């Protein structure tokens, strides 16, 4: 069997297919390449306005899906009408239940400014009016009127008492009636000398006058209240004339908004009732030895604008990087005043849903799911179609603090979740509400077809990214090298990777090396240096592992013949770097009952897929060699010097070849390594990481010295995935290293042992000296031994009877 030709090992991108000299000549890419299915879903999801048609954008991170979707939404949002402003205003009837107010775009900020101007004007104008001469004269007139009335009644009472020779005295304790003679009070000793009849007359007159006096005095509080009410009414009238004129001007500006006019009416009535608040000056309070100026609060008249979208035309596009519960649905804040926590409607803070109302909210599903209660809060808002600001303490009755109950705000926003596919499918499976709320899935492709058209589009993509990041232009050879590396990232020579983060990083690093070398444009050598340095930054562990192999600490043979031993290949992925680890696989066999012991599984170091591969291997042996006889052997398979978990079935072909070598007693050439999965029919199946596996064994062989016999056996179905390093391709072209593509186990064992596998004839017999003949002969021998043991055991049993 011949090795693969060098041109099959690497599909190059010819620079001559491009007509440009550098990417500076190319226009920016205006279309999204290779994502037609996903973008069609985005167009549909963004356009349909029915309930529940929110989007979930699937794909691994680094695909550029976020920027693609955001770019499309920005174009669509710019053509949408401006959304409404959402505000909270004071509920004068129930202050703990603030009312929401919906206003046309931009009117919320204007109304807030107008109300601030109104309050500021009244705070300065009202005290000036009440300190004016006209107001003081009117107040003095009212007070004088009541004072004169009181004095008149007292004077009339005094005149009446004087006619009866009784005097009305005004003492510090009030009014006192006393008998008199010639307007002088009669002393007590002289009063006692008066006749009884005279004293009785005086006492009767005093009692009558006292009743009259008490009547006058009993009317004083009522008259004081009447006087105070007249003064208050005077103040209200003055306030009404001032406030009414100001609010009249505001009403003209908001005549088209009935809810605002109703708010103005409530504000006017409240200001008339609280006119004294505008007359009070700021006060200074001493707190812990510090003088603190306390201002009169006029929060009742403020406008709390939660969402104002007039600064940028079109629908808002909001991205929340920290989607906590309160950051999504809003919160009510508190302030500390003299040791107590207080709040009001002006301390209601908006969430991302408020800011995105009427537009689009972009969220990372992983971040949402990591925040306590955020996912439930988001779903609750989407299901109800409104945003209800409520603290978690209120929802779960964890606190008894009196808080606000803001009126819910209607929600009309399209939520776009971004995340890996695993999140989408897990939510579909375990959250019954998910499919009702996110009915549109936009699944982004990780690769695109590789052809001349996609090459040119990729060149435009490189030009676009270079201009975006202010990088040097790329010449056509550099573009070709980036495209080749993209195919390597895709692990497919016929595909190109759409992992934009990796491509953008490569472009930036190649630009760095080009500038460091003084190049005016980025060349292919700069791209290659960037690729090499990316590997160099991450290959420390690989170097230590290969050093252990070269020093003999890890036993890997690259020459010689050994029975029941083969070089397998595994891949280790650490972060963003993957490399191969050659590993020795050994097999032993003995007389037994058909047991195939997977030592990794028995030691609980085998994953389920690897265990499945061993079971398939066992099934293949039974189907091929034990159709008409018992499988009378026991075997053990082991990954030597493996101390971690083994997963995957890519070593099942190597394990089968090692076992066949042991059964046939035919040595395997250790200059070859093998990878591949095998099915029950003996067919070799594709595996992952084929490039890394080939390069890993090549690096060990090259370090020890290439002999011209070394190589790797891979599944034939993996040929389309080959994008090997240049030094591997060059070694293959020079005949120093070989890659063989095998389709079945017979081809593999023949290459490894140098003997033909042999095909069975019509009677199930294999050619002499073939591998299959030797295996069948060994198994037949074991079966005969088994029968002889059974006969002997049967004879012994009858003798004993």
């Amino acid at each position: 069997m011949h090795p693969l030709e060098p041109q099959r090992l690497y599909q190059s991108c010819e620079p001559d297919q491009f007509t440009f000299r550098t990417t500076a000549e190319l226009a920016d890419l205006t279309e999204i390449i290779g994502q037609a299915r996903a973008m069609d879903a985005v167009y549909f999801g963004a356009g349909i306005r029915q309930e529940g048609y929110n989007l979930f954008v699937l794909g691994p991170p680094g695909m550029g899906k976020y920027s693609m979707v955001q770019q499309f939404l920005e174009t669509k949002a710019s053509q949408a009408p401006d959304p409404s402003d959402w505000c909270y205003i004071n509920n004068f009837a129930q202050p703990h239940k603030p009312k929401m107010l919906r206003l046309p775009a931009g009117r919320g900020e204007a109304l807030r400014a107008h109300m601030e101007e109104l309050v500021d004007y009244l705070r300065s104008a009202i005290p000036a009016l009440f300190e004016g001469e006209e107001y003081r004269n009117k107040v003095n007139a009212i007070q004088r009127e009541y004072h004169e009335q009181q004095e008149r009644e007292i004077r009339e009472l005094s005149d009446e008492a004087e006619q009866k020779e009784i005097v009305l005295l005004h003492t510090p304790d009030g009014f006192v009636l006393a008998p008199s003679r010639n307007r002088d009070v009669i002393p007590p000793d002289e009063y006692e000398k008066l006749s009884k009849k005279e004293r009785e007359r005086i006492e009767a007159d005093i009692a009558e006058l006292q009743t009259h006096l008490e009547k006058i005095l009993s009317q004083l509080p009522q008259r004081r209240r009447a006087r105070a009410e007249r003064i208050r009414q005077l103040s209200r009238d003055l306030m009404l004339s001032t406030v009414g004129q100001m609010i009249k001007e505001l009403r003209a500006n908001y005549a088209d908004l009935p809810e605002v006019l109703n708010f103005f009416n409530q504000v006017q009535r409240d200001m008339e009732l609280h006119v004294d608040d505008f007359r009070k000056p700021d006060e200074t309070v001493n707190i812990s030895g510090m003088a603190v100026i306390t201002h009169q609060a006029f929060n009742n008249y403020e406008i709390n604008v939660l969402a104002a979208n007039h600064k940028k035309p079109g629908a808002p596009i909001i991205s929340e990087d920290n989607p906590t519960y309160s950051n999504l649905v809003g919160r009510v804040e508190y302030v500390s005043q003299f040791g107590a926590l207080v709040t009001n409607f002006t301390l209601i803070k908006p969430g991302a849903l408020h800011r995105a109302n009427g537009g689009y909210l972009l969220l990372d599903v992983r971040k949402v799911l990591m925040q306590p209660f955020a996912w439930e809060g988001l779903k609750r808002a989407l299901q109800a179609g409104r945003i209800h600001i409520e603290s978690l303490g209120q929802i779960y009755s964890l606190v008894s603090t009196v808080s606000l109950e803001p009126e819910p705000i209607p929600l009309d926003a399209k939520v776009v979740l971004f995340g890996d596919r695993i999140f989408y499918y897990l939510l579909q499976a375990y959250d019954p509400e998910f499919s009702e709320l996110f009915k549109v899935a936009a699944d982004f492709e990780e690769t695109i077809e590789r052809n001349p058209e996609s090459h040119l589009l990729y060149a435009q993509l490189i030009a676009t990214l270079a201009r975006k990041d202010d990088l040097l232009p790329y010449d056509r050879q550099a573009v070709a090298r980036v495209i080749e590396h993209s195919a390597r990232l895709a692990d497919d020579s016929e595909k190109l990777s759409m992992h934009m983060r990796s491509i953008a990083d490569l472009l930036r690093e190649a630009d760095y090396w080009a500038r460091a070398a003084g190049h005016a444009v980025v060349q292919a050598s700069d791209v290659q240096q960037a690729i090499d340095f990316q590997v160099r930054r991450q290959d420390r562990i690989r170097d230590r592992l290969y050093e252990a192999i070269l020093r003999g600490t890890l036993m890997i043979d690259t020459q010689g013949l050994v029975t029941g031993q083969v070089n397998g290949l595994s891949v280790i992925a650490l972060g963003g770097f993957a490399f191969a680890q050659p590993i020795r696989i050994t097999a032993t066999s003995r007389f037994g009952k058909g047991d195939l012991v997977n030592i990794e599984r028995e030691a609980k170091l085998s994953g389920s897929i690897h265990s499945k591969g061993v079971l398939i291997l066992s099934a293949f042996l039974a189907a091929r060699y034990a159709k008409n006889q018992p499988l009378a052997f026991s075997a053990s398979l082991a990954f030597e010097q493996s101390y971690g978990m083994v997963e995957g079935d890519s070593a099942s072909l190597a394990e089968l070849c090692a076992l066949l070598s042991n059964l046939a007693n035919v040595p395997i050439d250790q200059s070859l390594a093998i990878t591949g999965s095998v099915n029950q029919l003996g067919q070799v199946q594709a595996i992952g990481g084929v490039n890394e596996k080939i390069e890993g064994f090549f690096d060990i062989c090259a370090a020890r010295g290439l002999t011209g016999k070394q190589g790797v056996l891979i599944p034939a179905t993996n040929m389309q995935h080959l994008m090997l390093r240049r030094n591997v391709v060059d070694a293959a072209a020079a005949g120093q290293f070989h890659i063989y593509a095998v389709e079945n186990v017979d081809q593999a064992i023949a290459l490894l042992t140098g003997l033909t596998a042999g095909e069975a004839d019509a009677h199930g017999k294999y050619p002499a000296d073939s591998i299959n003949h030797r295996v069948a002969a060994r198994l037949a021998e074991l079966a005969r031994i088994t029968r002889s043991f059974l006969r002997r055991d049967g004879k012994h049993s009858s003798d004993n009877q």
Side-chain angles (χ1 to χ4, degrees):
M1 188 173 181
H2 298 290
L4 295 177
E5 298 176 353
Q7 57 267 29
R8 301 290 299 274
L9 307 181
Y10 189 87
Q11 184 173 330
S12 61
C13 177
E14 296 300 329
D16 294 339
Q17 66 181 294
F18 301 122
T19 58
F20 60 87
R21 288 177 297 179
T22 72
T23 55
E25 303 171 17
L26 298 177
D28 283 345
L29 188 66
T30 57
E31 60 181 302
I32 299 173
I33 60 175
Q35 303 293 355
R37 179 190 293 108
M39 292 311 297
D40 286 345
V42 174
Y43 300 152
F44 171 75
I48 189 170
R49 305 308 298 179
Q50 298 299 320
E51 183 179 350
Y53 283 85
N54 297 292
L55 288 93
F56 195 112
V57 181
L58 295 76
M63 296 292 297
K65 56 185 182 296
Y66 186 93
S67 58
M68 292 183 198
V69 173
Q70 186 178 40
Q71 181 179 355
F72 164 74
L73 292 180
E74 286 177 351
T75 302
K76 184 175 180 61
S78 63
Q79 303 168 358
D82 295 342
S84 303
D85 288 351
W86 294 97
C87 313
Y88 273 114
I89 57 176
N90 182 41
N91 184 342
F92 292 94
Q94 295 178 295
H96 70 287
K97 294 184 176 181
K99 293 182 178 180
M100 66 92 177
L101 182 63
R102 181 175 185 172
L103 298 174
R107 303 290 292 277
E109 294 285 359
L111 179 60
R112 176 167 63 183
H114 283 145
M115 291 306 298
E116 289 177 353
E117 292 175 1
L118 172 64
V119 171
D120 288 343
Y121 172 77
L122 293 177
R123 290 186 63 187
S124 59
I126 295 301
L129 289 174
F130 283 96
E131 292 173 2
E133 184 176 354
E134 180 181 359
Y135 174 77
R136 289 202 303 271
N137 290 338
K138 290 181 179 180
V139 171
N140 290 336
I142 294 173
Q143 291 177 340
R144 186 166 54 251
E145 176 183 347
Y146 281 91
H147 183 69
E148 289 176 352
Q149 182 180 4
Q150 178 181 338
E151 286 185 345
R152 184 172 59 254
E153 291 178 349
I154 295 297
R155 187 168 56 253
E156 291 175 354
L157 178 63
S158 178
D159 293 342
E160 182 182 356
E162 186 177 352
Q163 293 175 1
K164 296 180 180 182
E165 292 186 345
I166 296 174
V167 64
L168 179 64
L169 302 176
H170 193 182
T171 69
D173 295 329
F175 290 98
V176 176
L177 292 169
S180 66
R181 182 182 298 119
N182 298 325
R183 297 182 178 180
D184 294 328
V185 176
I186 300 175
D189 55 343
E190 293 185 10
Y191 179 76
E192 292 295 331
K193 296 177 181 180
L194 295 176
S195 65
K196 180 179 179 182
K197 182 178 180 180
E198 182 67 15
R199 289 198 305 272
E200 290 177 351
R201 181 191 65 79
I202 293 174
E203 289 175 358
D205 290 340
I206 289 177
E208 180 181 355
L209 292 173
Q210 184 67 34
T211 301
H212 191 187
L213 176 61
E214 289 177 355
K215 182 179 180 180
I216 294 173
L217 294 179
S218 66
Q219 293 176 346
L220 289 181
Q222 181 179 357
R223 288 174 179 173
R224 291 193 187 99
R225 288 194 297 271
R227 179 183 61 184
E229 180 59 31
R230 285 186 62 184
I231 294 175
R232 281 195 295 269
Q233 185 61 44
L234 175 64
S235 300
R236 285 196 293 267
D237 292 342
L238 183 60
M239 186 75 171
L240 177 62
S241 62
T242 305
V243 174
Q245 180 61 34
M246 294 294 298
I247 292 184
K248 182 179 179 181
E249 297 176 3
L250 291 180
R251 284 196 178 96
N253 294 329
Y254 298 92
D256 57 329
L257 300 173
E259 292 183 353
V260 177
L261 298 181
N262 181 51
F263 174 67
F264 287 157
N265 293 336
Q266 297 179 38
V267 167
Q268 183 171 343
R269 286 194 296 270
D270 191 77
M271 285 183 171
E272 293 170 7
L273 293 174
H274 298 87
V275 60
D276 290 341
D277 290 344
F278 290 90
R279 300 174 59 183
K280 295 177 182 177
D282 294 337
E283 298 178 352
T284 301
V285 178
N286 190 289
I287 300 177
S288 300
M290 296 185 297
V292 178
I293 298 177
T294 60
H295 303 277
Q296 295 298 322
F298 297 94
N299 296 329
N300 290 349
Y301 315 123
E302 291 186 20
I303 306 295
N304 184 0
V305 182
L306 260 68
N309 302 298
H310 64 284
K311 297 180 181 179
K312 185 177 181 181
I317 300 176
I318 303 299
S319 176
E320 179 55 63
D321 294 329
N322 184 28
T324 62
Y325 175 84
S326 58
N327 284 351
L328 286 176
V329 302
R331 63 190 182 278
V332 176
E333 293 184 344
Y334 293 80
V335 295
S336 177
Q337 289 186 357
F338 305 107
L341 292 177
V342 297
T343 187
N344 57 67
F345 76 97
T346 64
L347 296 176
I348 300 174
K349 302 302 178 182
L353 287 170
H354 295 97
R355 301 194 302 274
N357 212 357
Y360 306 91
L361 175 60
L362 313 184
L363 298 171
D364 186 321
V365 66
R366 178 176 173 274
K367 293 180 179 179
V368 175
L369 294 173
M370 287 179 65
Q371 295 294 340
F373 308 104
W375 177 244
E376 292 300 322
L378 176 63
K379 289 195 301 179
R380 189 182 302 115
L382 292 176
Q383 287 171 328
R386 57 183 186 173
I387 313 168
H388 193 170
I389 299 178
E390 192 174 15
S391 71
L392 293 173
Q394 290 176 280
I395 295 175
Y396 296 99
S397 301
L398 299 177
V399 296
S400 58
T401 304
V402 177
S403 185
L404 301 180
E405 300 177 17
E407 183 180 1
I409 290 179
L411 176 62
D412 180 23
K414 187 77 69 173
V415 177
V416 184
L417 294 179
F418 295 84
D420 288 341
R421 295 183 179 92
I422 185 64
F423 290 113
Y424 177 79
Y425 294 118
L426 285 175
L427 289 170
Q428 281 278 11
Y430 295 107
D431 190 339
E433 299 170 336
F434 175 75
S435 58
E436 294 297 321
L437 297 175
F438 293 89
K439 298 183 178 182
V440 183
D443 197 349
F444 273 69
E445 298 282 356
E446 297 176 51
T447 61
I448 61 172
E449 293 294 331
R450 183 179 175 185
N451 51 50
E453 291 76 16
S454 62
H455 283 178
L456 183 57
L457 289 173
Y458 222 81
Q460 281 188 271
L461 174 64
I462 294 171
T464 304
L465 293 175
R467 272 192 285 270
K468 177 183 176 182
D469 290 344
D470 196 24
L471 307 179
L472 293 174
Y474 280 64
D475 65 20
R476 66 178 73 176
Q477 289 80 11
V479 169
R481 186 66 190 93
V482 172
I483 290 175
E484 292 169 352
H485 184 66
S486 176
R488 172 60 183 261
L489 291 177
D491 282 326
D492 196 326
S493 62
E494 299 175 1
K495 302 280 187 179
L496 293 177
S497 172
M498 291 304 296
H499 197 269
M500 292 297 100
R501 183 188 301 165
S502 298
I503 299 301
D505 289 345
L506 177 62
L507 297 180
R508 298 186 190 102
E509 294 178 26
D511 173 82
Y512 168 82
W513 293 113
R515 294 178 188 272
H519 296 162
V521 297
V522 179
Q523 302 174 7
S525 60
D526 301 319
V527 177
Q528 186 60 51
Q529 187 170 4
I531 295 171
D532 294 341
F533 199 72
Q534 284 182 344
V535 174
R536 178 61 179 164
R537 294 199 300 265
Q538 303 180 78
D539 66 353
R540 185 189 66 84
I541 295 178
R542 183 190 68 175
D543 287 352
R544 299 290 79 75
L545 181 64
Y546 289 178
E547 179 185 7
I549 294 175
L550 296 174
R551 297 176 65 182
T553 306
L554 294 178
M555 295 185 291
I556 299 294
D557 293 332
T558 54
Q559 296 184 51
L561 301 173
V562 181
T563 300
Q565 175 180 301
V566 69
N567 291 322
L569 298 168
S570 63
V571 172
I572 298 175
L574 297 174
F577 181 59
F579 60 92
Q581 176 188 2
I583 190 165
R584 175 179 290 180
I585 299 174
T586 59
T588 60
S589 63
R590 56 204 170 274
F591 173 76
K593 299 179 180 180
D595 299 326
L596 184 58
V597 178
N598 174 11
I599 293 179
E600 316 309 314
R601 182 179 62 187
E602 298 302 321
K604 294 183 173 50
L605 292 176
S606 173
S608 56
I609 298 176
H610 177 254
S611 298
K612 175 185 176 183
V614 175
L615 293 174
I616 290 174
L617 182 158
S618 177
F620 166 77
L621 289 173
R624 171 171 284 193
Y625 303 110
K627 290 182 179 180
N628 301 314
Q629 64 182 19
L631 198 59
F633 83 105
S634 293
S636 299
L637 295 171
F639 281 58
E640 304 295 349
Q641 293 184 291
S642 172
Y643 307 105
M645 287 295 297
V646 176
E647 181 58 305
D649 61 352
S650 64
S652 59
L653 178 60
E655 291 173 309
L656 179 55
C657 289
L659 185 55
L660 292 177
S661 167
N662 178 271
L663 290 171
N665 195 28
V666 175
I668 288 178
D669 190 348
Q670 300 299 299
S671 62
L672 297 175
I674 184 170
T675 183
S677 167
V678 68
N679 62 22
Q680 292 188 103
L681 304 177
Q683 297 168 329
V684 178
Q685 303 168 142
I687 45 83
V690 63
N691 292 295
E692 289 81 1
K693 290 178 178 179
I694 294 173
E695 292 167 355
F697 191 67
F698 171 83
D699 289 340
I700 299 301
C701 294
R704 288 177 172 173
L706 297 175
T707 63
K709 295 182 179 181
Q710 295 145 333
V712 177
L713 281 64
I714 66 170
T717 48
N718 278 120
M719 287 191 295
Q720 61 189 337
H721 303 136
L722 293 177
M723 287 293 294
L724 295 170
R725 287 198 318 250
R726 177 55 56 188
N727 60 344
V728 182
V729 177
D730 291 342
Q736 295 296 307
F737 195 78
H738 311 286
I739 291 90
Y740 300 92
V742 296
E743 297 178 353
N744 52 59
V745 65
D746 289 334
Q747 293 178 355
I749 194 65
L751 283 169
L752 291 172
T753 61
L755 299 178
T756 59
E759 294 185 10
D761 58 18
H763 303 288
K765 302 296 183 180
Y766 294 99
D769 293 331
S770 66
I771 296 293
N772 286 325
H773 175 78
R774 295 190 179 200
V775 173
R778 173 58 176 162
L779 293 177
E781 179 185 2
L782 293 173
R784 286 194 300 272
I785 296 173
T786 300
R787 287 193 293 270
S788 67
F789 271 111
L790 291 175
R791 285 196 299 268
R792 186 190 315 164
D793 290 344
K795 181 179 179 181
H796 288 171
S797 177
S798 61
D799 291 343
N800 292 333
Q801 293 176 358

